[in-house]
Amino acid sequence: RADQYLAGVLDGLTRSAAQKLLEEGRVLRRGKALKKNDKLQAGDEVAVCIPDPTPVEIMPQDIPLDVVYEDENLLILNKPQGLLCHPNGKEYIDTLIARVKRYLYERNQWSPEDSGFAPALANRIDRNTGGLVIAAKTAPALREITALIRDRKIEKFYLTVTEGIPPKAADTLTAYLHKDEKKNKVTLYDAPAPDRMACKTGYRVLDTKANRALLE
């Protein structure tokens, strides 16, 4: 895919940044704008117009960051419920990535004046979900971590409470996901279609006592 290719060959360019360039019509093949889902073929010549960087402001206030693990390449963070991973078009100030930049800036590990790489999240979870998120400090680390996630060498586990008891103690559920890019809305369907992506969720019931207590 065009967005995956660009993120892989251009140092410092995240996949989300590549998608934005594609959405803005800044990536051309034979004079026509590419879309992120377009497939590239061997021999294709692609022209990319990268805009001048916009200034990044570091927030003056002290914002907490729950660091579970850190080394010279990455951070593993415990994101609290209610916090966005990235700006959503309405909220830009207090996000997880903003906290990461503030944290690294204070430790002289990154500066907004750096023209190369900006710290980036390798995965993200929804606003109302709390859990572990991996932040890359360098472009090589980001490429390696995202490749591990893409190749399913990093597994994701979620702990949740359900209303009622699932019919099976363990099962794998299959659905088909469609994302409306303009509305930034995801819809799940039972049947496949060309514009839907298959997704599977395996679950295992750990305990039913909490469910019974809620029902009572």
Side-chain angles (χ1 to χ4, degrees), residues 111-154:
S111 170
E113 286 77 26
D114 294 341
S115 59
F117 176 78
L121 304 182
N123 68 304
R124 57 185 177 184
I125 53 180
D126 292 340
R127 180 177 200 153
N128 293 324
T129 303
L132 300 180
V133 176
I134 306 171
K137 296 182 179 182
T138 65
L142 180 63
R143 285 196 295 270
E144 185 170 346
I145 296 166
T146 52
L148 291 171
I149 294 173
R150 183 182 63 247
D151 296 338
R152 301 186 183 279
K153 293 181 179 179
I154 294 179

Side-chain angles (χ1 to χ4, degrees), residues 7 13 49 140 185:
L13 190 73
C49 177
K185 181 180 179 181

Side-chain angles (χ1 to χ4, degrees), residues 56-177:
V56 178
E57 295 183 0
I58 295 297
M59 293 173 291
Q61 64 267 38
D62 184 19
I63 298 178
L65 192 65
D66 187 357
V67 179
V68 177
Y69 172 82
E70 180 178 5
D71 60 26
E72 66 274 14
N73 296 303
L74 59 87
L75 290 159
I76 298 180
L77 312 162
N78 183 24
K79 185 192 84 69
Q81 289 176 286
L83 181 68
L84 284 169
C85 282
H86 295 101
N88 65 354
K90 297 179 180 178
E91 187 170 329
Y92 293 91
I93 303 300
D94 189 11
T95 62
L96 184 63
I97 189 60
R99 295 187 183 190
V100 168
K101 290 177 179 178
R102 166 77 182 190
Y103 177 88
L104 296 176
Y105 177 76
E106 288 181 337
R107 287 156 181 76
N108 296 318
Q109 297 183 38
W110 173 77
S111 170
E113 286 77 26
D114 294 341
S115 59
F117 176 78
L121 304 182
N123 68 304
R124 57 185 177 184
I125 53 180
D126 292 340
R127 180 177 200 153
N128 293 324
T129 303
L132 300 180
V133 176
I134 306 171
K137 296 182 179 182
T138 65
L142 180 63
R143 285 196 295 270
E144 185 170 346
I145 296 166
T146 52
L148 291 171
I149 294 173
R150 183 182 63 247
D151 296 338
R152 301 186 183 279
K153 293 181 179 179
I154 294 179
E155 297 185 48
K156 300 177 183 179
F157 296 90
Y158 294 85
L159 183 65
T160 186
V161 176
T162 65
E163 181 179 353
I165 300 173
K168 296 181 181 179
D171 199 1
T172 299
L173 308 177
T174 300
Y176 300 89
L177 180 152

Side-chain angles (χ1 to χ4, degrees), residues 180-195:
D180 188 324
E181 297 290 349
K182 292 183 178 179
K183 297 180 179 179
N184 194 29
K185 181 180 179 181
V186 172
T187 305
L188 290 176
Y189 298 88
D190 293 327
D195 60 346

Side-chain angles (χ1 to χ4, degrees), residues 12-22:
L13 190 73
T14 64
R15 188 170 170 184
S16 60
Q19 290 175 350
K20 185 175 180 181
L21 290 175
L22 289 158

